[in-house]
Amino acid sequence: MNRPKIAMIGGGSFAWMPRLLCDVMLTPELADADIRLLDLVAERAELVAAGARRTAARIGAGATFTPTTD
């Protein structure tokens, strides 16, 4: 089975992205998704990705997170 691929526009937003990513990881069909975090500010997307990786490890989700500006 192919892993779901998800692109999150505004992926560096601390206002709503962490909660949305948590909801995605807690959805069984999406727990192993390949998630791209697109933001104009690379550092913000990387910070959100780092937090999401810690959350994924804590809850046992296999999702991957790639920050990007492209």
Side-chain angles (χ1 to χ4, degrees):
M1 185 170 148
N2 291 333
R3 290 177 64 192
K5 295 181 182 184
I6 302 170
M8 298 289 200
I9 310 303
S13 172
F14 292 101
W16 54 273
M17 189 54 63
R19 180 65 207 163
L20 180 59
L21 291 174
C22 188
D23 287 345
V24 168
M25 288 186 276
L26 290 172
T27 302
E29 297 83 7
L30 302 176
D32 294 325
D34 175 14
I35 301 172
R36 306 299 166 106
L37 302 171
L38 172 67
D39 201 274
L40 297 176
V41 182
E43 294 81 15
R44 290 177 59 94
E46 180 54 51
L47 287 173
V48 171
R53 290 181 193 114
R54 286 190 301 273
T55 300
R58 193 170 33 237
I59 66 173
T64 58
F65 305 92
T66 306
T68 184
T69 58
D70 185 24

